[in-house]
Amino acid sequence: MEKEIIRLNIHFEEGFYTFSDQIKSQMRPLTEYTLGNFFTDDKPLNVEIGIGNGEFLCHIAEKRPDEHFIGFEVFRKIFRKAISKVQKKNLSNVKLIQYDASFFVPLLANNTVSNFYVNFPDPWPKKKHNKRRLLKPEFLKIISDKLIPGGKLFIATDHDDYAEEILINLKAVSELKPEFENYFVNELIDYYPTKYYRKFAIKNKVYFFKMVKL
């Protein structure tokens, strides 16, 4: 039996955010999904995976009003904080989606994203849970496919073991090359210090990765 292919109908409340309930209601067995464009023009598109309270996303979206930004976050309570931040700043170049980015990113068109940002992804520190980590070679390859030539992937983590795994996994994606000589640096002058960074990560060694698509 062949899978049915349907286009997801994403309705953004107030024009910029949507919750998982609206997406889950469209899910069916044996179905593949496609997406329409989230924006109506061809301005540069940026994606943050795991936006938390939206602090980082709002900061860069405010600085770059001529670009578009999509943010994904799983947890509803903290997602609502991101909605409030976008509202307070009256940002018209942001879309927020409360859903797992690992589902949505593969649906984005290839060669369309200028930058991906992944700030402090869940390290799943217990060894038995390591398989749940997001930044596996397969997902990094998908990210690479979605980036435009010259597009960049930014990753920050303060977890030593996860940083080691990210380094190994990035080396497995030949289309992505490091901008830093040793793949990562431990200080990044222009990194925006989010609440998580100020409260937790600044006490630890932080690993900043910046990759560019050839």
Side-chain angles (χ1 to χ4, degrees):
M1 183 177 178
E2 293 187 3
K3 289 186 176 180
E4 181 184 7
I5 300 177
I6 65 170
R7 178 169 166 170
L8 284 175
N9 178 25
I10 307 300
H11 170 69
F12 290 100
E13 298 183 38
E14 299 183 49
F16 77 92
Y17 65 90
T18 189
F19 289 102
S20 60
D21 298 347
Q22 190 257 129
I23 298 163
K24 289 178 180 178
S25 65
Q26 301 180 60
M27 296 298 164
R28 305 173 187 172
L30 298 173
T31 302
E32 292 182 1
Y33 301 93
T34 63
L35 284 175
N37 293 328
F38 291 117
F39 299 98
T40 58
D41 56 45
D42 295 326
K43 292 179 181 179
L45 175 63
N46 306 276
V47 175
E48 185 182 5
I49 297 172
I51 62 172
N53 66 9
E55 191 175 0
F56 180 87
L57 186 70
C58 287
H59 173 74
I60 57 175
E62 188 174 31
K63 287 180 63 177
R64 288 143 59 181
D66 293 329
E67 300 182 28
H68 293 309
F69 294 84
I70 300 174
F72 295 98
E73 175 57 49
V74 174
F75 298 105
R76 181 174 294 229
K77 184 176 180 179
I78 198 169
F79 182 76
R80 290 187 181 277
K81 294 182 179 180
I83 292 173
S84 295
K85 281 185 168 55
V86 173
Q87 289 170 328
K88 287 178 181 178
K89 290 182 176 291
N90 196 29
L91 298 173
S92 61
N93 59 337
V94 171
K95 303 287 187 186
L96 303 180
I97 300 175
Q98 190 241 326
Y99 210 77
D100 189 342
S102 64
F103 171 79
F104 266 96
V105 170
L107 302 182
L108 299 174
N110 288 351
N111 302 302
T112 58
V113 180
S114 295
N115 298 287
F116 277 99
Y117 300 91
V118 189
N119 289 306
F120 303 101
D122 192 333
W124 292 101
K126 292 184 179 179
K127 191 171 183 180
K128 65 181 180 179
H129 293 155
N130 283 180
K131 62 184 178 180
R132 300 183 186 180
R133 289 174 172 173
L134 177 68
L135 300 175
K136 300 295 185 182
E138 298 80 10
F139 189 66
L140 290 169
K141 176 62 171 64
I142 292 171
I143 285 177
S144 174
D145 291 341
K146 306 308 170 183
L147 283 170
I148 63 173
K152 295 179 181 180
L153 165 63
F154 299 82
I155 302 169
T157 181
D158 62 331
H159 192 276
D160 295 341
D161 179 64
Y162 200 5
E164 291 179 11
E165 181 180 325
I166 289 170
L167 176 60
I168 293 170
N169 294 346
L170 285 172
K171 289 181 177 179
V173 184
S174 59
E175 298 88 350
L176 295 176
K177 296 300 179 185
E179 284 213 345
F180 304 131
E181 184 176 355
N182 295 317
Y183 274 82
F184 64 84
V185 295
N186 296 123
E187 292 185 14
L188 200 59
I189 295 174
D190 58 351
Y191 176 80
Y192 180 72
T194 61
K195 180 180 179 181
Y196 176 88
Y197 181 79
R198 296 191 303 269
K199 188 173 182 179
F200 300 109
I202 200 169
K203 301 174 184 177
N204 305 320
K205 180 186 289 185
V206 179
Y207 301 84
F208 297 99
F209 297 84
K210 186 188 292 187
M211 309 296 292
V212 60
K213 179 178 177 179
L214 297 179

